[in-house]
Amino acid sequence: MPEQGERTGRRAKAAIGLVVLALVAWFVVPRGLGWSGTWVPSLVETFWLLPLLVAAVCGTWMVARRRPAGLLGLAALVVTGFVTAAAVAVMRLEAPPGDEDLLPGPAALKVVEGIGYCGSGGCSRDLDATGDRAPEVMREHLTSHGYTPARSLMYGDDRLCRRTGLVAVREVCAELKDVSATAVHVIWYVN
């Protein structure tokens, strides 16, 4: 029969495991579901903030249990996370944005992706959507994916943006230009 100390140790390990599982779920699931908001961690935060929080939780337990031998491994985890985050951030500087929940477009519209553009100011992608009430349907599609109205930059086009991230905020914006009642041109980019 296990002693009291062993049972307490097992419960503590189970609690630590559940906390780590909750942290991983918080960092992975909302982004996987396409959610956005200031409480949804960005991709870069997954690489540096998640290891930092996991190391803090596990390190606190190790210090409390007077088992500092594993702290070096936790430090290596954090350093690896920071290096990976830096590499991902650098690679994404001059890369076109992802689909960002613009693609696939609404089922009611015919969506044709353009060639996109990359220049010294960053990269963007574009699409043309046609169909009944295309401008309205595309705005509704973006709004349902967390995009909110933002100040227009040029020519009075509608601009919708969504932000993700706790510390390293990432903002994706889409500019919509109504071509006609049945067609809309959309350009999206990362701010």
Side-chain angles (χ1 to χ4, degrees):
M1 185 166 192
E3 292 183 26
Q4 180 65 28
E6 287 180 38
R7 282 185 284 190
T8 304
R10 286 183 190 157
R11 287 185 192 136
K13 287 178 185 177
I16 295 295
L18 289 174
V19 169
V20 169
L21 180 63
L23 284 170
V24 171
W26 175 32
F27 274 74
V28 175
V29 172
R31 279 193 39 259
L33 294 174
W35 295 348
S36 64
T38 55
W39 62 274
V40 177
S42 66
L43 178 65
V44 173
E45 287 172 334
T46 302
F47 293 111
W48 72 269
L49 187 56
L50 178 59
L52 188 64
L53 292 174
V54 168
V57 168
C58 294
T60 302
W61 179 79
M62 287 177 182
V63 169
R65 299 287 293 174
R66 293 185 177 88
R67 297 182 183 187
L71 293 178
L72 189 58
L74 290 177
L77 172 73
V78 171
V79 169
T80 302
F82 273 92
V83 168
T84 305
V88 168
V90 167
M91 287 188 296
R92 293 183 78 176
L93 280 177
E94 290 294 325
D99 291 345
E100 306 296 344
D101 289 328
L102 277 101
L103 295 174
L109 301 179
K110 178 182 177 193
V111 177
V112 177
E113 187 175 357
I115 57 172
Y117 172 78
C118 280
S120 61
C123 295
S124 65
R125 290 174 63 187
D126 66 315
L127 64 82
D128 290 305
T130 56
D132 189 37
R133 303 179 315 112
E136 270 181 61
V137 172
M138 185 56 78
R139 282 175 185 79
E140 290 168 4
H141 174 71
L142 291 173
T143 301
S144 72
H145 285 92
Y147 286 81
T148 58
R151 186 177 55 86
S152 180
L153 296 179
M154 57 176 49
Y155 313 120
D157 295 345
D158 280 351
R159 183 169 176 247
L160 301 168
C161 298
R162 77 172 181 184
R163 300 172 67 128
T164 56
L166 306 169
V167 178
V169 176
R170 180 172 189 263
E171 183 178 53
V172 177
C173 292
E175 294 181 14
L176 290 83
K177 179 178 176 128
D178 295 356
V179 177
S180 70
T182 60
V184 63
H185 181 75
V186 182
I187 298 172
W188 72 97
Y189 50 87
V190 177
N191 269 346

